[in-house]
Amino acid sequence: MTTIQITRSSARSPSKGPAEYFTGSVRIELLFQANDPLQTSGGLVSFDAGARSAWHTHPRGQILIVTSGTGWVQQWGGPIEEIRQGDVVRIPPGQKHWHGATATTAMAHIALTEQVDGKAVDWMEKVTDEQYLARSTPK
């Protein structure tokens, strides 16, 4: 019989976002890992101002729940969009995208990602400074 599991916050500690996948100062706190039968993992990702992910995709998509601050998200070929505390961002499966803090404000979000055959993300090239800063005023 499966029982309820509780992971105390004191049992978790953030780790630094790997430099090959992130630009700037990023901290990742794994909240829960995928395990049978649930194939979804969740993490709290905190970006200092100017920090961001590299371009990437998820085989089953991703949900971001912004918990603090202001950030940006962009899908390949689309405009950079502002995201704020309380916003929920749904990224479709296979959609190439990046997300992170704005150039002047920090941002944190909970990321929910489902894995397929043990894989939840495909990392690609880094977002260049030119791509990151090339945006119009958010609405």
Side-chain angles (χ1 to χ4, degrees):
M1 181 170 144
T2 305
T3 61
I4 293 174
Q5 294 179 346
I6 299 172
T7 303
R8 303 289 177 202
S9 60
S10 60
R12 298 186 308 264
S13 60
S15 61
K16 185 176 178 177
E20 64 185 304
Y21 304 136
F22 296 95
T23 298
S25 181
V26 178
R27 290 160 310 288
I28 302 170
E29 181 180 344
L30 183 62
L31 300 174
F32 58 91
Q33 294 184 0
N35 59 8
D36 287 332
L38 301 175
Q39 292 301 305
T40 303
S41 62
L44 174 61
V45 186
S46 302
F47 299 84
D48 285 354
R52 61 210 181 250
S53 72
W55 289 101
H56 60 286
T57 63
H58 302 279
R60 291 264 168 93
Q62 183 178 50
I63 296 173
L64 306 176
I65 304 165
V66 182
T67 58
S68 66
T70 304
W72 292 331
V73 63
Q74 182 182 25
Q75 67 181 18
W76 186 255
I80 294 174
E81 298 189 56
E82 187 172 280
I83 54 177
R84 298 179 196 97
Q85 182 176 350
D87 289 351
V88 176
V89 181
R90 294 181 69 97
I91 299 160
Q95 177 64 63
K96 185 175 179 178
H97 69 285
W98 68 267
H99 38 92
T102 71
T104 58
T105 59
M107 187 269 296
H109 62 55
I110 293 174
L112 303 173
T113 309
E114 188 174 354
Q115 64 183 16
V116 175
D117 297 326
K119 190 169 192 177
V121 61
D122 286 306
W123 290 104
M124 300 168 183
E125 71 275 14
K126 285 193 168 189
V127 175
T128 65
D129 288 344
E130 183 179 55
Q131 290 172 320
Y132 176 71
L133 295 172
R135 67 173 205 82
S136 60
T137 305
K139 295 176 174 70

